[in-house]
Amino acid sequence: MKLQYVKPATVWTEALPIGNGRLGGMVYGGVERETISLNEDTLWSGYPRDWNNPSAREALPEIRELASQGRYMEADQLGRKMMGPYTESYLPLGDLCLRFDHGGVFHSYRRTLDIANAVQRTEYRIGEVTYTRECFASSPDQMIALRLTSSAACSLDFHAYLESPLRYTVKTEEDMYAMSGFAPERVEPSYVSSDRPIRYGDPEHTAAMAFDGRLAVAETDGRVTMDAAGIHVLDASEAVIYFTAATSFNGFDQIPGHRDGGDHPAAAAAAIAAGTMKAACSQSWTELRDRHVNDYRSLFDRVSLRLGETLAAGDMDTEERIERFGARDPGMVELLFHYGRYLLISSSRPGTQAANLQGIWNASTRPPWSSNWTLNINAQMNYWPAEVCNLAECHQPLLELIRSLSVNGAETAAVHYGTRGWTVHHNTDIWAHTAPVGNYGDGDPSWALWQMGGIWLTQHLWEHYAYSGDEAYLRSFAYPLMKEASLFALDWLIENDAGHLLTSPSTSPEHKFRTSEGLAAVSEGATMDISLIWELFTNCMEAADILGVDEEFREEWSSKRERLLPLQVGRYGQLQEWSHDSEDEDVFHRHTSHLVGVYPGRQLSAEDSPDLFAAAQTSLERRGEESTGWSLGWRVALWGRFGDGNRALRLLTNMLRLVRDGDSERYDHGGVYASLLGAHPPFQIDGNFAAAAGIAEMLLQSHRPLLMLLQSHRPLLMLLPALPDAWPEGEVRGLRARGGFEVGIRWKNGRLTEAQIMSRLGNVCSVSIGNGHGNGIAVYQGDTSIPVQVSAKGVFSFETEQGLTYRLVTDPAGAPRA
């Protein structure tokens, strides 16, 4: 399971990512000069500030009146008075540079990323001497390790040093080469024109983040010297280098820079980096590598996937493979799926920051969209594969970010809107920014004026429970945050003349509608708002039932949910994006926000809301099959929910097309770079995560409750709900389903042959078989046949015991039939 190339990377998007959740590296695989672009996930510009805008509350009654009168252009303009400042930016730490004395004439080159073990390797020959480098980022030991070897004695000569695009100094200290510096106090977004977009404070008194990076040679048979220019290793055949780093970040609500009294923040960061390095240097390369591989594989090995025979030769260059085969090669789709899992493990671990727009990998001081967390789709999309792909631990950083946002979001809700609860808008950063961005009016209301960020994020709190069944987590962590978000929703809803509850002002993120006067964004009751609030109220009701609490609130959620503005079908048979049936600014728009009730939500289904479900499918058809990389990933999952595997595979085909670095920013033609990283373009990692989640959604679904079928909240496991014709035979193992199940599936000739279901909680298991399969099943636990109940709708249900695995076999002699 490898990405492999026959030449070094020449640009950042061709380099190969490694990461341990906190430290990230992009490895170029150069010959005469090697570069590893470095990141540390807490290294951001700025510090906590007051971003709330009291003018928002003053403007609220008037903007609501304008929207109710259909004066949408005026509402747009007034909405600019409700904005706050832009977020801060995620920053690069710098580069680990290696300069070799053997020159740049080489042959027999190979560069690989082994995603089964999370180890990058570069190998080439100069003359008859073979040079190899192995590199990994260790989570257990919180460092990056690099081993260099040559096949001939005394032929390895190199010079290693650190540099940064931020302000920094270097020195030698205790057998370490140290780089220390500090971040800017302000970085303007890349789309803002400014004469001074990056602003630093005084180095001794700045409130901004300090950082420290350490480099040391842990093992070598050569001569080592060190000076301000770096570490010099001569006449060696082997050398092992370790890198560690730390920042002065100490919480979303704490100033990371200069503070009166105590140690200087730079000293604190240096002490952490140096301490980690000393611990690493006390261990051998083999010990560190083995611990890293074992730790990584404890997560990665949980899931396997086989979709058919690969079309590419085993040694084919990955860039060539993308161009020649794309998604026509089942092995390429398998690689894309596992790569998404690799990237999530590598960019999001317990105790780290959540994966941002670029995961943890960024080389620019003014990265695209500040490399922040964009909450109207992208941050949520990053974590769609976490639960279903058996990486629940990797979900934790996002859950912790939600808790931080709830603290600051409570003040924003009160100051901006005079409501209870908490809210967050389009963007956030490491300081848990919660106000609408837009620089107090410079932004566009189509993306800045959107109050649903917190409400959408609560889906992740609920999903973590739905898969795990962890009632203690639900009671102490998730439910209180969900309930507080619901208080904002209850206060935010207003009643229209027909007695329905709707939101105002309301936008459908980043998309506008046409009016007689021009394009507008602000109106009332956008479909996305209504669907997200429906999901929140539904999840809160179920949580209250499970916990046996808040009966009065449950009744209020239920009554308010029933009064929500009904979703509507428009003139083209489409699910309306807005409460009024307006023409789209762009019928092919990248956002499909009004379909959130199909995926990742559960509001709409063919069984419970057939007309609206069909209208939603019409909306998706109208959007087309061309878009940005991340949008294509979302559409894969949507077509999976619609049960159309062939259509989903066509979208994967469009995702698996090569985008060259330097291609201009586009919103209608995404894909992947040579490194298989998602291309908007530019680079956004959410497309990789969405692809993994979408592929899983084609094979297993568990979002539909059996409430309508069997008067039960328990989920229905749908096996092979959207299997494409191009995958007639295959197997998946280790996917997770809601209700506490782990699922393996085998199929042949496009039909299920066997499934393995492990019950983690001992719940009743209810199963339906997709792809037109109408045969019965038999269920065994070991050699014991388990009784199966069959509903009129073809749902097979059986009792389970916690910790036991059950085998489902289709069409056996005498098996129950639907």
Side-chain angles (χ1 to χ4, degrees), residues 420-461:
R420 299 172 294 169
W422 64 278
T423 187
V424 61
H425 296 77
H426 173 239
N427 291 136
T428 194
D429 55 22
I430 200 169
W431 315 116
H433 182 121
T434 51
V437 297
N439 197 28
Y440 301 97
D442 290 342
D444 193 314
S446 68
W447 43 264
L449 204 61
W450 182 74
Q451 298 81 13
M452 297 292 111
I455 291 173
W456 195 352
L457 285 169
T458 62
Q459 279 191 10
H460 288 264
L461 299 170

Coordinates of all heavy atoms in Angstrom, one line a residue, residues 420-461:
R420 N -29.6 33.1 24.3 CA -28.9 32.2 25.2 C -28.0 31.3 24.3 O -28.0 31.4 23.1 CB -30.0 31.3 25.9 CG -30.9 32.0 26.8 CD -32.0 31.1 27.3 NE -32.9 30.6 26.2 CZ -33.8 29.7 26.3 NH1 -33.9 29.0 27.4 NH2 -34.5 29.3 25.2
G421 N -27.4 30.3 24.9 CA -26.6 29.3 24.2 C -25.3 29.9 23.6 O -24.8 30.9 24.0
W422 N -24.9 29.2 22.5 CA -23.6 29.6 21.9 C -23.7 29.4 20.4 O -24.5 28.6 19.9 CB -22.4 28.7 22.4 CG -22.5 27.3 22.2 CD1 -23.2 26.3 22.9 CD2 -21.8 26.6 21.1 NE1 -23.0 25.1 22.3 CE2 -22.1 25.2 21.3 CE3 -21.0 26.9 20.1 CZ2 -21.6 24.2 20.4 CZ3 -20.5 26.0 19.2 CH2 -20.8 24.6 19.4
T423 N -23.0 30.2 19.7 CA -23.0 30.2 18.2 C -21.6 30.4 17.7 O -20.7 30.9 18.4 CB -23.9 31.2 17.7 OG1 -24.0 31.1 16.2 CG2 -23.4 32.6 17.9
V424 N -21.3 30.0 16.5 CA -20.1 30.2 15.8 C -20.4 30.3 14.3 O -21.4 29.7 13.9 CB -19.0 29.1 16.1 CG1 -19.5 27.8 15.7 CG2 -17.7 29.5 15.4
H425 N -19.6 31.1 13.6 CA -20.0 31.4 12.2 C -19.1 30.7 11.2 O -18.7 29.5 11.4 CB -19.9 32.9 12.0 CG -21.0 33.6 12.9 ND1 -20.8 33.8 14.2 CD2 -22.2 34.1 12.6 CE1 -21.9 34.4 14.7 NE2 -22.8 34.6 13.7
H426 N -18.7 31.3 10.1 CA -18.1 30.7 9.0 C -16.7 30.2 9.2 O -16.3 29.1 8.7 CB -18.0 31.8 7.9 CG -17.3 31.4 6.6 ND1 -16.2 32.2 6.2 CD2 -17.4 30.4 5.8 CE1 -15.8 31.7 5.1 NE2 -16.5 30.6 4.8
N427 N -15.9 30.9 10.0 CA -14.5 30.5 10.2 C -14.1 30.5 11.7 O -14.7 31.3 12.5 CB -13.5 31.5 9.6 CG -13.5 31.5 8.1 OD1 -13.6 32.5 7.4 ND2 -13.5 30.3 7.5
T428 N -13.1 29.8 12.1 CA -12.5 29.9 13.4 C -11.0 29.6 13.3 O -10.5 29.2 12.2 CB -13.2 29.0 14.4 OG1 -12.8 29.4 15.7 CG2 -12.8 27.5 14.2
D429 N -10.3 29.8 14.4 CA -8.9 29.6 14.4 C -8.5 29.0 15.8 O -9.4 28.6 16.5 CB -8.1 30.9 14.2 CG -8.5 32.1 15.1 OD1 -9.1 31.8 16.2 OD2 -8.3 33.3 14.8
I430 N -7.2 29.0 16.1 CA -6.7 28.3 17.3 C -7.2 29.1 18.5 O -7.2 28.5 19.6 CB -5.2 28.2 17.3 CG1 -4.8 27.1 18.3 CG2 -4.5 29.5 17.6 CD1 -3.4 26.6 18.2
W431 N -7.6 30.3 18.3 CA -8.1 31.2 19.5 C -9.6 31.0 19.6 O -10.2 31.8 20.4 CB -7.7 32.6 19.3 CG -6.3 32.7 18.8 CD1 -5.8 33.2 17.7 CD2 -5.1 32.3 19.6 NE1 -4.4 33.1 17.6 CE2 -4.0 32.6 18.8 CE3 -4.9 31.7 20.9 CZ2 -2.7 32.3 19.2 CZ3 -3.7 31.4 21.3 CH2 -2.5 31.7 20.5
A432 N -10.2 30.1 18.9 CA -11.7 29.8 19.0 C -12.5 31.1 18.7 O -13.4 31.5 19.4 CB -12.0 29.3 20.4
H433 N -12.1 31.7 17.6 CA -12.8 32.9 17.1 C -14.3 32.4 16.7 O -14.5 31.5 16.0 CB -12.1 33.3 15.8 CG -12.7 34.6 15.2 ND1 -12.0 35.7 15.0 CD2 -13.9 34.8 14.6 CE1 -12.7 36.6 14.4 NE2 -13.9 36.1 14.2
T434 N -15.3 33.2 17.2 CA -16.7 32.8 17.0 C -17.6 33.8 16.3 O -18.7 33.5 15.9 CB -17.3 32.4 18.4 OG1 -17.1 33.5 19.3 CG2 -16.7 31.2 18.9
A435 N -17.1 35.0 16.1 CA -17.9 36.1 15.5 C -17.9 35.9 14.0 O -17.0 35.3 13.4 CB -17.4 37.5 15.9
P436 N -18.8 36.6 13.3 CA -18.8 36.6 11.8 C -17.5 37.3 11.4 O -17.2 38.4 11.9 CB -20.0 37.3 11.4 CG -20.9 37.4 12.6 CD -20.0 37.3 13.8
V437 N -16.8 36.7 10.4 CA -15.6 37.3 9.9 C -16.0 38.3 8.8 O -17.2 38.5 8.6 CB -14.6 36.3 9.3 CG1 -14.1 35.4 10.4 CG2 -15.2 35.5 8.2
G438 N -15.1 39.0 8.2 CA -15.4 40.0 7.2 C -14.9 41.4 7.4 O -15.2 42.3 6.6
N439 N -14.0 41.6 8.4 CA -13.4 42.8 8.7 C -14.4 44.0 8.7 O -14.2 45.0 8.1 CB -12.3 43.1 7.6 CG -11.3 44.2 8.0 OD1 -11.1 44.4 9.2 ND2 -10.8 44.9 7.0
Y440 N -15.4 43.8 9.5 CA -16.4 44.8 9.8 C -17.0 45.4 8.6 O -17.3 46.6 8.5 CB -15.8 45.9 10.7 CG -15.2 45.3 12.0 CD1 -13.9 45.0 12.1 CD2 -16.1 45.1 13.1 CE1 -13.4 44.5 13.3 CE2 -15.6 44.6 14.3 CZ -14.3 44.3 14.4 OH -13.8 43.8 15.6
G441 N -17.3 44.6 7.6 CA -18.0 45.1 6.4 C -17.3 44.8 5.1 O -17.9 45.0 4.0
D442 N -16.0 44.4 5.1 CA -15.3 44.2 3.8 C -15.7 42.8 3.2 O -15.5 42.6 2.0 CB -13.8 44.3 4.0 CG -13.3 45.7 4.3 OD1 -14.1 46.6 4.0 OD2 -12.2 45.8 4.8
G443 N -16.2 41.9 4.1 CA -16.5 40.6 3.6 C -17.9 40.6 2.9 O -18.6 41.5 2.8
D444 N -18.2 39.4 2.3 CA -19.4 39.2 1.6 C -20.4 38.4 2.6 O -20.1 37.4 3.1 CB -19.2 38.4 0.4 CG -20.4 38.4 -0.6 OD1 -21.5 38.2 -0.1 OD2 -20.2 38.6 -1.8
P445 N -21.6 39.0 2.7 CA -22.6 38.3 3.6 C -22.9 36.8 3.2 O -23.3 36.0 4.0 CB -23.8 39.1 3.5 CG -23.4 40.5 3.1 CD -22.2 40.2 2.3
S446 N -22.6 36.5 1.9 CA -23.0 35.1 1.4 C -22.2 34.1 2.2 O -22.6 32.9 2.3 CB -22.7 35.0 -0.1 OG -21.3 35.1 -0.4
W447 N -21.0 34.5 2.7 CA -20.2 33.5 3.5 C -20.0 34.0 5.0 O -20.0 33.2 5.9 CB -18.9 33.2 2.9 CG -18.1 34.3 2.3 CD1 -18.1 34.7 1.0 CD2 -17.2 35.2 3.0 NE1 -17.2 35.7 0.8 CE2 -16.7 36.0 2.0 CE3 -16.8 35.3 4.3 CZ2 -15.7 37.1 2.3 CZ3 -15.8 36.3 4.6 CH2 -15.3 37.1 3.7
A448 N -20.0 35.3 5.2 CA -19.7 35.8 6.5 C -20.9 35.7 7.5 O -20.8 35.4 8.7 CB -19.2 37.2 6.5
L449 N -22.1 35.9 6.9 CA -23.3 36.0 7.7 C -24.1 34.7 7.8 O -25.1 34.5 7.1 CB -24.2 37.1 7.2 CG -25.2 37.8 8.2 CD1 -24.4 38.4 9.3 CD2 -26.1 38.8 7.5
W450 N -23.6 33.8 8.6 CA -24.1 32.4 8.7 C -23.9 32.0 10.1 O -22.8 31.8 10.6 CB -23.3 31.5 7.7 CG -23.8 30.1 7.7 CD1 -25.0 29.6 7.1 CD2 -23.1 29.0 8.2 NE1 -25.0 28.3 7.3 CE2 -23.9 27.8 8.0 CE3 -21.9 28.8 8.9 CZ2 -23.6 26.6 8.4 CZ3 -21.6 27.5 9.3 CH2 -22.4 26.4 9.0
Q451 N -25.0 31.7 10.8 CA -25.0 31.5 12.3 C -25.0 30.0 12.7 O -25.1 29.7 13.9 CB -26.2 32.2 12.9 CG -26.2 33.8 12.8 CD -26.7 34.2 11.4 OE1 -27.3 33.4 10.7 NE2 -26.5 35.5 11.1
M452 N -24.9 29.1 11.7 CA -25.2 27.7 12.0 C -24.0 26.9 12.2 O -24.1 25.7 12.4 CB -25.9 27.1 10.8 CG -27.3 27.7 10.5 SD -28.5 27.4 11.7 CE -28.7 29.0 12.4
G453 N -22.8 27.5 12.4 CA -21.6 26.7 12.5 C -21.6 25.8 13.8 O -21.3 24.6 13.7
G454 N -22.0 26.4 14.9 CA -22.1 25.6 16.1 C -23.1 24.5 16.0 O -22.9 23.3 16.5
I455 N -24.3 24.8 15.4 CA -25.4 23.8 15.3 C -24.9 22.6 14.5 O -25.2 21.5 14.8 CB -26.6 24.5 14.7 CG1 -27.2 25.5 15.8 CG2 -27.7 23.5 14.3 CD1 -28.3 26.3 15.3
W456 N -24.2 22.9 13.3 CA -23.7 21.8 12.5 C -22.7 21.0 13.3 O -22.7 19.8 13.3 CB -23.1 22.3 11.2 CG -23.0 21.2 10.2 CD1 -23.1 19.9 10.4 CD2 -22.6 21.4 8.8 NE1 -22.8 19.2 9.2 CE2 -22.5 20.1 8.2 CE3 -22.3 22.5 8.0 CZ2 -22.2 19.9 6.9 CZ3 -22.0 22.3 6.7 CH2 -21.9 21.0 6.1
L457 N -21.8 21.7 14.0 CA -20.7 20.9 14.7 C -21.3 20.0 15.7 O -20.7 18.9 16.0 CB -19.8 21.9 15.4 CG -18.8 22.7 14.5 CD1 -18.1 23.8 15.2 CD2 -17.8 21.7 13.9
T458 N -22.4 20.3 16.3 CA -23.0 19.4 17.3 C -23.3 18.0 16.7 O -23.4 17.0 17.5 CB -24.2 20.0 18.0 OG1 -25.3 20.2 17.0 CG2 -23.9 21.2 18.7
Q459 N -23.5 17.9 15.4 CA -23.7 16.6 14.8 C -22.5 15.6 15.2 O -22.7 14.4 15.4 CB -23.8 16.7 13.3 CG -25.2 17.1 12.8 CD -25.3 16.9 11.3 OE1 -24.4 16.3 10.7 NE2 -26.4 17.4 10.7
H460 N -21.3 16.2 15.2 CA -20.2 15.4 15.5 C -20.2 14.9 17.0 O -19.8 13.8 17.3 CB -18.9 16.1 15.2 CG -18.7 16.3 13.8 ND1 -17.9 15.4 13.0 CD2 -19.2 17.2 12.9 CE1 -17.9 15.8 11.8 NE2 -18.6 16.9 11.6
L461 N -20.7 15.7 17.9 CA -20.8 15.3 19.3 C -21.8 14.1 19.3 O -21.5 13.1 20.0 CB -21.4 16.4 20.1 CG -20.6 17.7 20.2 CD1 -21.4 18.8 20.9 CD2 -19.3 17.4 21.0

